[in-house]
Amino acid sequence: MSDQLPSQKTWGGRFRGAASDLMTKINASISFDKRLWREDIEASKAHAAMLGAQGIISADDASAILSGLDQIAEEFERDGVPERVELEDIHMTVEHRLTELIGPAAGRLHTARSRNDQVATDFKLWTRRACGNVRSAIGQLQEVILLRAEEQAETVMPGFTHLQVAQPVTLGHHLMAYHEMLMRDFDRLLDADVSMGECPLGSGALAGTGFPIDRESTAKALGFLDGPTKNSLDGVSDRDFALDFLAAAAFCSLHLSRLAEEMILWATPQFGFVKLSDSFSTGSSIMPQKRNPDAAELVRGHSGRIMGCLTSLMVTMKGLPLAYSKDMQDDKEPVFEAYDLLLLSIEAMTGMIETIEFVPERMRAAAEQGFSTATDLADWLVREAGVPFREAHHITGAAVKAAEDRSCNLDQLPLDVLQQIDPRIDERVFDVLSVDASVRSRTSYGGTAPERVREQIAKAKE
Ligand code: ARG
């Protein structure tokens, strides 16, 4: 605003010329940091109450500030936050409105405080809440996975390594693998949240303040259980909390992306393991036969952006000298973006898994095709005929070759053919060659046997 008088700026006292429009534009963060309005008001209330209690401002001023802030919260809740670039950011927007409401007493709110400790506090509070919201979304996805896994505890499908059929597994087991990944994501967000337990408010611009503030009380009022940050320079310049959140978000999105990738693959006619519900797929504008897994593809795509957000903030921070630099204003958008994308991805994935139709016949057929029970034959030779595993591996290879030549599965080979390969094989071997017998036998802890999968599910339910 070229017609803006310099003195109208909060920091305008020493400036004679007005800021150029471009300066105002590049400086403003209100378009995005207005998302911090609740936290900003909450932190200001804690600060004002403390200033009053310490006798740094009068009790009357403190109570005028507190009720003014309450009124602003009501207004913002009802009408949204006004976006005036000349007010720069959410902190000035709140203070400006407070001045309109209560007059000069509003000017006392910023005593013993700087926007540097203010923004660090607001943003940390916001990020803690984000950790909590993402955790509860993850919890809901896990619940859906549990239900589907329970329902598919016996369903046999091929397990893959190198995307080649390896050994039969149960679909419930496969789904529960994602439950495990999401559990780690949940815990990572919890750890991140716990590590954000110190309150930066009261660090001032960088050096602390000469006013007799009570940082313990503001930390407590704002739910920072570990008390105030111990070093004011670190207090205003630390953004590890945002990076911790972004790292946890990146991990979670990585896991969602792998799940999405499998759904995309499984939904192809070549696999045919799943049918996506109408509600989570789209058609093609030109090819009438198509049903596209767009939601899964977007989850996979969004993970790249979320990882980019982590990289973006790391690169922003890595060259900054202590304490605050304006570069740090760029800390918020990557965090907001990652949060929005991640929450949407988790919710979309929850809906997708809830409504997806599994096709057990196709899974079973694929498991039976790839000689997936070859390891079971080798294990049988070791167990029942005392053959060393390396030799058993060799014998089994010959059996696979024989089955390949006859275009049949291992369990369809006649006994005499098997005995020509190795006379120590007898008819009991057929007990282990079917895919059902194979999965039932894998009862080691964490293994794919339905009874073990049910155990995993029961444990996860706790
Ligand atoms: N809008 C600023 C930010 O987000 C607030 C802090 C401003 N501090 C300053 N020294 N100019 O970082």
Side-chain angles (χ1 to χ4, degrees), residues 11 27-30 32-33 36 88-91 114-120 205 239 324-332:
W11 40 257
N27 209 26
S29 54
I30 184 65
F32 51 89
D33 69 14
L36 300 176
E88 278 186 41
D89 57 25
I90 186 60
H91 322 296
S114 152
R115 270 191 294 162
N116 296 350
D117 58 343
Q118 190 179 359
V119 72
R239 292 296 181 272
Y324 178 87
S325 299
K326 199 62 173 259
D327 315 41
M328 289 165 71
Q329 181 162 281
D330 281 346
D331 58 358
K332 290 159 212 71

